[in-house]
Amino acid sequence: MELSEETVLVDCSRLKSAVWKDFDRVKRNDVCVAVCKHCKKKLSGSSTSGTSHLRNHLIRCRRRTNHDVSQLLASKGKKKEGSVTPVGYSYDHDETKVDTPNVVRYEQTPLKDELAGLSSGNFDFKRSRFDLARMIILHGYPLAMVEHVGFKIFVRKLQPLFELVTLDGVVADCKEIYLKEKQKVREMLDDLPGKISLSVDTWAAKGDAKYLCLTAHSVDDTWALRKKILSFIHVDPGQTEDVMSEIIMTRLMEWDIDSKLFSMTCDSCSVHDNIVDKVRDHLSQNRFLLCNGQLFEVRCAVNIIKIMVEDCLEALNVTICKVRESVRYIKSSQTLHEKFNEMVQEVGANSQKLLCLDNPVNWNSTYNMLDVALEYREAFSRLQEHDFGYTMCPSDDEWSQASTITSFLKLFVEVSTVFAGSKIPTANVYFAEVCDIHLQLIDWCQSRDELISSLSLKMKSKFDDYWKKCSLVLAVAAILDPRFKMKLVEYYYPQIYGGDAPDCVDIVSNCMRALYNGHDVYSTIASNSQAGGSDGGNDARDRLTGFDRFLHETSQSQNVKSDLDKYLEEPLFPRNNEFNILNWWKVHTPRYPVLSMMARNILGILMSKVSLDSVFDTGDRILDQYRSSLSADTLQALICTQDWMRDGLEDSKSCSSSSTLAICDAN
């Protein structure tokens, strides 16, 4: 800047603020001006203007190096160590104070360390790039946000030293994070003390695109349930079951968990039947499955309920439409609503419930609509007699059928609510509820109403297929609940099987013992392996391995009571609502070392793969339009990494339990 004759350079040495090291203070006539030594921009230098605007300028000044930013931050006032606070800045227009939301941080560094880094002249651009990528992954933000004008302006004002990232750049960063997180998950799976159960979900996308989501479920060494999405695979709808099973096996071997697989949970459909059979055959050839794979095939409990609900809604479709239109008609005007209330008084209906319309995508709302309407059925009929504009009232037969089928839906709502309300959805939760459905189906099939009996037989046929595949694993899981043991099986089976109940109980008991023996042998082999590996290299061979086998064989021949025998003979644990079965087995592991290993594997089986917030949804799992437009490898990286990061945040309790991080829609 060239100074005119009227311009006088003022001595800044007497000014106390450190900010004047980067400004020249000049006086032109009676006005003081502060001139930036780096970019020559002129700002107010009056003593009444303060120095905040000068600090803000230095933070944004692109021609200034970053070596003194820490001093500017420190001069803003001491901040709480380890907290995240935005750096002070100003806009050219009036500033508006806004509340800032809670901030989720990654790999947090205490503030004093960050200031030290800044004072050394190092702005960690790479770390900031990865923080940005992690934010996009975690919250499901569009990748293209890095090219949005508003985002660019925000970043420039916040930190001018940050070089803006391109779309390709942020995709590459997300994939690099995916590979790093994948290695952590691989190590976690390798360290698991027990087996792994796999769930397979099918997702639809725009057009006819489909994806397979493979998720691993287990109980870790702290006796906590673990879930990790392993793969999100694009598949051709025309691919055969052989190809699909090969794809799944390839991914299992890629993760090196094929030898640790215990069960596989799918929806109830013929395509999944064939895929599961082929995967099981492949694993059986390598003798990876315990108990000859009897418990390998599992069907989703919520899925079979949804299938039966669909049958109910289809059978009652005409009546549901009439009830829906009736409710809509009455709610269409205040006059009609008052007239209907008069009819309610005339027929003496005592219900305090309010008429409600359903949301067809949530079948429990349809049940609620029918349940309330049935209490006013006489009022609907009376309204039709007095209002010639009302023509959609169901007939007496339709009301009667609606009453029966609504009782079916009531049971399904109650059972689904139990599944959704379970804080710890371990496999033992399901046996009693599924048995109740079985008993009701047997009773419903005896109906003299042709519509009801045919509907019941149709539902029971589908349920029987589920029961055939899952009754054994359901019973075994219930037996491993110390509140029930064999007693719950002995209570339900006579009601279900009648005279054949003793034989069916024996089948369950024999499976329990076969499964226990398999775990007993496995635990012996594992302990020998650990003993041999912990020798420290002093002796390459454990000379007492033969003694261990001798001890195991003689213990069996001397009729020493096994863990299973001791467990079954001891009294039942008292039932209470706060019972935590995983904590119980964690505490009793020393007493039942082999049986606890078996309990870990059984309780970790996923009996329902429907998320708790979508138990009542009627639609399929559908990717949103944005995710559907991504390439297959990018989509897999985002979905898997988000799941892993979210799980880590939940573990550390660093994110709110009410936050929704889902990146897919279920319609």
Side-chain angles (χ1 to χ4, degrees), residues 76-122:
K76 285 290 186 178
K78 292 185 177 180
K79 304 294 189 286
K80 184 177 179 181
E81 182 175 328
S83 64
V84 175
T85 54
V87 177
Y89 57 92
S90 62
Y91 293 100
D92 294 334
H93 52 78
D94 294 338
E95 294 182 5
T96 303
K97 184 177 180 181
V98 296
D99 294 329
T100 56
N102 292 333
V103 181
V104 177
R105 293 170 291 158
Y106 314 94
E107 302 175 7
Q108 178 182 342
T109 303
L111 184 62
K112 62 181 182 180
D113 294 341
E114 294 195 7
L115 292 179
L118 287 170
S119 63
S120 64
N122 295 322

Side-chain angles (χ1 to χ4, degrees), residues 447-465:
S447 174
R448 295 182 179 179
D449 186 295
E450 184 177 349
L451 175 66
I452 301 303
S453 62
S454 61
L455 170 62
S456 301
L457 289 171
K458 182 179 180 181
M459 291 191 296
K460 190 173 185 303
S461 175
K462 297 176 181 178
F463 178 85
D464 285 345
D465 183 61

Side-chain angles (χ1 to χ4, degrees), residues 308-317 320 363 366 409 618:
M308 293 188 291
V309 167
E310 289 173 0
D311 290 338
C312 290
L313 298 180
E314 181 182 357
L316 205 60
N317 182 55
I320 290 174
W363 63 265
T366 303
L409 294 175
T618 57

Side-chain angles (χ1 to χ4, degrees), residues 204-206 622-630 663-665 667:
K206 66 178 181 180
I622 303 176
L623 284 175
D624 60 44
Q625 185 175 4
Y626 163 65
R627 300 290 166 181
S628 298
S629 65
L630 299 175
I663 61 174
C664 302
D665 296 330
N667 296 323

